[in-house]
Amino acid sequence: MKANILLNVEVVSQKNGRRHGLVKSLVVVDHVVKYLVINPGGIFSQAQFFKPENIVDVNYKRLVIENEKVIIKAKGKKVKTYLDEAFPLMDYPVVDKNEEAFGHVVNATIEEGTFAITEYEISRSFFDDIDHGFAIIPATDLVYKEQVLYYEKEMFDLGFKKQGTGIANKLLGVR
């Protein structure tokens, strides 16, 4: 499953149909989705998140969880205890082994059941995405440290250039 399916969908309890808000972020630790963060709305609302194992069903419009008891509600400092060593998945910066920033995460492939990320889709630039598409990097080639994802090779490595075709190729047939 693609990570973007889990974002911006309404969270609903299966038991009573209560709506809890929209999923605003995926929290990842060691290439595994650990929590989905809910934006319940309101200025003074607490942080709310739940584990992906509690998902009963998901589609592009809504995500169904067992019941509202699986939602963790926490304030300020308590949130850090849950989310320590974690990073939000989308728009996360990626640098190569020479510490050259070359892109950011735009999507990921998640294994159903384990919620492990097998590969990341990286956007290098708007024009490169149009010409060549997103770069696809296996999760095993990326390491999280110091709030950055490090690619274990150089950004121009031949293995990195093998990627899907871009919008120009798909729509216009440009080669």
PDB file of all heavy atoms in Angstrom, residues 83-99:
ATOM      1  N   LEU A  83       6.967   9.727  20.765  1.00  0.00           N
ATOM      2  CA  LEU A  83       7.508   9.995  19.437  1.00  0.00           C
ATOM      3  C   LEU A  83       9.021  10.195  19.408  1.00  0.00           C
ATOM      4  O   LEU A  83       9.570  10.683  18.436  1.00  0.00           O
ATOM      5  CB  LEU A  83       6.804  11.218  18.837  1.00  0.00           C
ATOM      6  CG  LEU A  83       5.279  11.141  18.803  1.00  0.00           C
ATOM      7  CD1 LEU A  83       4.706  12.385  18.154  1.00  0.00           C
ATOM      8  CD2 LEU A  83       4.796   9.893  18.093  1.00  0.00           C
ATOM      9  N   ASP A  84       9.719   9.829  20.471  1.00  0.00           N
ATOM     10  CA  ASP A  84      11.173   9.927  20.497  1.00  0.00           C
ATOM     11  C   ASP A  84      11.756   8.993  19.445  1.00  0.00           C
ATOM     12  O   ASP A  84      11.268   7.880  19.243  1.00  0.00           O
ATOM     13  CB  ASP A  84      11.689   9.563  21.890  1.00  0.00           C
ATOM     14  CG  ASP A  84      13.087  10.078  22.128  1.00  0.00           C
ATOM     15  OD1 ASP A  84      13.427  11.124  21.560  1.00  0.00           O
ATOM     16  OD2 ASP A  84      13.814   9.426  22.887  1.00  0.00           O
ATOM     17  N   GLU A  85      12.793   9.394  18.761  1.00  0.00           N
ATOM     18  CA  GLU A  85      13.440   8.625  17.691  1.00  0.00           C
ATOM     19  C   GLU A  85      12.532   8.430  16.475  1.00  0.00           C
ATOM     20  O   GLU A  85      12.701   7.502  15.701  1.00  0.00           O
ATOM     21  CB  GLU A  85      13.903   7.248  18.194  1.00  0.00           C
ATOM     22  CG  GLU A  85      14.950   7.307  19.274  1.00  0.00           C
ATOM     23  CD  GLU A  85      16.248   7.943  18.804  1.00  0.00           C
ATOM     24  OE1 GLU A  85      16.665   7.661  17.675  1.00  0.00           O
ATOM     25  OE2 GLU A  85      16.813   8.741  19.561  1.00  0.00           O
ATOM     26  N   ALA A  86      11.562   9.297  16.304  1.00  0.00           N
ATOM     27  CA  ALA A  86      10.619   9.170  15.198  1.00  0.00           C
ATOM     28  C   ALA A  86      10.754  10.368  14.267  1.00  0.00           C
ATOM     29  O   ALA A  86      11.268  11.411  14.647  1.00  0.00           O
ATOM     30  CB  ALA A  86       9.200   9.091  15.744  1.00  0.00           C
ATOM     31  N   PHE A  87      10.266  10.203  13.036  1.00  0.00           N
ATOM     32  CA  PHE A  87      10.209  11.334  12.119  1.00  0.00           C
ATOM     33  C   PHE A  87       8.934  11.262  11.295  1.00  0.00           C
ATOM     34  O   PHE A  87       8.426  10.181  11.035  1.00  0.00           O
ATOM     35  CB  PHE A  87      11.457  11.401  11.226  1.00  0.00           C
ATOM     36  CG  PHE A  87      11.602  10.277  10.242  1.00  0.00           C
ATOM     37  CD1 PHE A  87      11.075  10.365   8.962  1.00  0.00           C
ATOM     38  CD2 PHE A  87      12.292   9.124  10.581  1.00  0.00           C
ATOM     39  CE1 PHE A  87      11.226   9.328   8.058  1.00  0.00           C
ATOM     40  CE2 PHE A  87      12.448   8.087   9.683  1.00  0.00           C
ATOM     41  CZ  PHE A  87      11.910   8.199   8.414  1.00  0.00           C
ATOM     42  N   PRO A  88       8.386  12.438  10.917  1.00  0.00           N
ATOM     43  CA  PRO A  88       7.206  12.437  10.061  1.00  0.00           C
ATOM     44  C   PRO A  88       7.620  12.043   8.651  1.00  0.00           C
ATOM     45  O   PRO A  88       8.664  12.463   8.159  1.00  0.00           O
ATOM     46  CB  PRO A  88       6.717  13.876  10.122  1.00  0.00           C
ATOM     47  CG  PRO A  88       7.934  14.669  10.457  1.00  0.00           C
ATOM     48  CD  PRO A  88       8.811  13.771  11.280  1.00  0.00           C
ATOM     49  N   LEU A  89       6.833  11.232   8.000  1.00  0.00           N
ATOM     50  CA  LEU A  89       7.246  10.649   6.729  1.00  0.00           C
ATOM     51  C   LEU A  89       7.334  11.649   5.577  1.00  0.00           C
ATOM     52  O   LEU A  89       8.363  11.748   4.921  1.00  0.00           O
ATOM     53  CB  LEU A  89       6.288   9.518   6.350  1.00  0.00           C
ATOM     54  CG  LEU A  89       6.599   8.783   5.063  1.00  0.00           C
ATOM     55  CD1 LEU A  89       7.947   8.091   5.154  1.00  0.00           C
ATOM     56  CD2 LEU A  89       5.528   7.777   4.752  1.00  0.00           C
ATOM     57  N   MET A  90       6.299  12.370   5.299  1.00  0.00           N
ATOM     58  CA  MET A  90       6.253  13.202   4.096  1.00  0.00           C
ATOM     59  C   MET A  90       7.105  14.459   4.225  1.00  0.00           C
ATOM     60  O   MET A  90       7.205  15.053   5.289  1.00  0.00           O
ATOM     61  CB  MET A  90       4.810  13.571   3.764  1.00  0.00           C
ATOM     62  CG  MET A  90       3.941  12.378   3.516  1.00  0.00           C
ATOM     63  SD  MET A  90       4.620  11.322   2.214  1.00  0.00           S
ATOM     64  CE  MET A  90       3.308  10.159   2.048  1.00  0.00           C
ATOM     65  N   ASP A  91       7.709  14.843   3.133  1.00  0.00           N
ATOM     66  CA  ASP A  91       8.547  16.041   3.012  1.00  0.00           C
ATOM     67  C   ASP A  91       9.820  15.975   3.838  1.00  0.00           C
ATOM     68  O   ASP A  91      10.461  16.991   4.090  1.00  0.00           O
ATOM     69  CB  ASP A  91       7.769  17.320   3.359  1.00  0.00           C
ATOM     70  CG  ASP A  91       6.694  17.607   2.337  1.00  0.00           C
ATOM     71  OD1 ASP A  91       6.917  17.330   1.146  1.00  0.00           O
ATOM     72  OD2 ASP A  91       5.622  18.095   2.732  1.00  0.00           O
ATOM     73  N   TYR A  92      10.226  14.796   4.257  1.00  0.00           N
ATOM     74  CA  TYR A  92      11.434  14.671   5.054  1.00  0.00           C
ATOM     75  C   TYR A  92      12.664  14.814   4.162  1.00  0.00           C
ATOM     76  O   TYR A  92      12.717  14.237   3.082  1.00  0.00           O
ATOM     77  CB  TYR A  92      11.454  13.331   5.790  1.00  0.00           C
ATOM     78  CG  TYR A  92      12.150  13.440   7.101  1.00  0.00           C
ATOM     79  CD1 TYR A  92      11.526  14.020   8.186  1.00  0.00           C
ATOM     80  CD2 TYR A  92      13.457  13.014   7.247  1.00  0.00           C
ATOM     81  CE1 TYR A  92      12.183  14.165   9.390  1.00  0.00           C
ATOM     82  CE2 TYR A  92      14.118  13.150   8.454  1.00  0.00           C
ATOM     83  CZ  TYR A  92      13.472  13.726   9.517  1.00  0.00           C
ATOM     84  OH  TYR A  92      14.124  13.880  10.709  1.00  0.00           O
ATOM     85  N   PRO A  93      13.688  15.592   4.571  1.00  0.00           N
ATOM     86  CA  PRO A  93      14.868  15.801   3.716  1.00  0.00           C
ATOM     87  C   PRO A  93      15.733  14.547   3.580  1.00  0.00           C
ATOM     88  O   PRO A  93      15.848  13.750   4.501  1.00  0.00           O
ATOM     89  CB  PRO A  93      15.637  16.906   4.448  1.00  0.00           C
ATOM     90  CG  PRO A  93      15.184  16.822   5.863  1.00  0.00           C
ATOM     91  CD  PRO A  93      13.776  16.306   5.836  1.00  0.00           C
ATOM     92  N   VAL A  94      16.334  14.406   2.404  1.00  0.00           N
ATOM     93  CA  VAL A  94      17.227  13.283   2.109  1.00  0.00           C
ATOM     94  C   VAL A  94      18.550  13.854   1.609  1.00  0.00           C
ATOM     95  O   VAL A  94      18.564  14.744   0.753  1.00  0.00           O
ATOM     96  CB  VAL A  94      16.626  12.346   1.038  1.00  0.00           C
ATOM     97  CG1 VAL A  94      17.546  11.177   0.761  1.00  0.00           C
ATOM     98  CG2 VAL A  94      15.245  11.856   1.452  1.00  0.00           C
ATOM     99  N   VAL A  95      19.665  13.363   2.168  1.00  0.00           N
ATOM    100  CA  VAL A  95      20.994  13.782   1.733  1.00  0.00           C
ATOM    101  C   VAL A  95      21.794  12.545   1.330  1.00  0.00           C
ATOM    102  O   VAL A  95      21.500  11.438   1.768  1.00  0.00           O
ATOM    103  CB  VAL A  95      21.750  14.574   2.827  1.00  0.00           C
ATOM    104  CG1 VAL A  95      20.998  15.826   3.221  1.00  0.00           C
ATOM    105  CG2 VAL A  95      22.013  13.727   4.037  1.00  0.00           C
ATOM    106  N   ASP A  96      22.816  12.742   0.499  1.00  0.00           N
ATOM    107  CA  ASP A  96      23.638  11.605   0.078  1.00  0.00           C
ATOM    108  C   ASP A  96      24.812  11.414   1.029  1.00  0.00           C
ATOM    109  O   ASP A  96      24.934  12.117   2.033  1.00  0.00           O
ATOM    110  CB  ASP A  96      24.096  11.758  -1.377  1.00  0.00           C
ATOM    111  CG  ASP A  96      25.111  12.866  -1.591  1.00  0.00           C
ATOM    112  OD1 ASP A  96      25.497  13.535  -0.609  1.00  0.00           O
ATOM    113  OD2 ASP A  96      25.525  13.059  -2.736  1.00  0.00           O
ATOM    114  N   LYS A  97      25.697  10.469   0.714  1.00  0.00           N
ATOM    115  CA  LYS A  97      26.807  10.160   1.620  1.00  0.00           C
ATOM    116  C   LYS A  97      27.794  11.317   1.762  1.00  0.00           C
ATOM    117  O   LYS A  97      28.562  11.360   2.705  1.00  0.00           O
ATOM    118  CB  LYS A  97      27.517   8.886   1.185  1.00  0.00           C
ATOM    119  CG  LYS A  97      28.341   9.008  -0.071  1.00  0.00           C
ATOM    120  CD  LYS A  97      29.042   7.709  -0.358  1.00  0.00           C
ATOM    121  CE  LYS A  97      30.016   7.852  -1.495  1.00  0.00           C
ATOM    122  NZ  LYS A  97      30.744   6.611  -1.710  1.00  0.00           N
ATOM    123  N   ASN A  98      27.770  12.268   0.826  1.00  0.00           N
ATOM    124  CA  ASN A  98      28.614  13.459   0.906  1.00  0.00           C
ATOM    125  C   ASN A  98      27.905  14.611   1.617  1.00  0.00           C
ATOM    126  O   ASN A  98      28.370  15.736   1.585  1.00  0.00           O
ATOM    127  CB  ASN A  98      29.041  13.907  -0.491  1.00  0.00           C
ATOM    128  CG  ASN A  98      29.818  12.826  -1.207  1.00  0.00           C
ATOM    129  OD1 ASN A  98      30.646  12.149  -0.601  1.00  0.00           O
ATOM    130  ND2 ASN A  98      29.543  12.648  -2.485  1.00  0.00           N
ATOM    131  N   GLU A  99      26.758  14.313   2.208  1.00  0.00           N
ATOM    132  CA  GLU A  99      25.913  15.262   2.916  1.00  0.00           C
ATOM    133  C   GLU A  99      25.392  16.382   2.028  1.00  0.00           C
ATOM    134  O   GLU A  99      25.146  17.501   2.466  1.00  0.00           O
ATOM    135  CB  GLU A  99      26.626  15.809   4.158  1.00  0.00           C
ATOM    136  CG  GLU A  99      26.941  14.704   5.145  1.00  0.00           C
ATOM    137  CD  GLU A  99      27.351  15.207   6.511  1.00  0.00           C
ATOM    138  OE1 GLU A  99      27.178  16.399   6.811  1.00  0.00           O
ATOM    139  OE2 GLU A  99      27.832  14.368   7.290  1.00  0.00           O
TER     140      GLU A  99
END
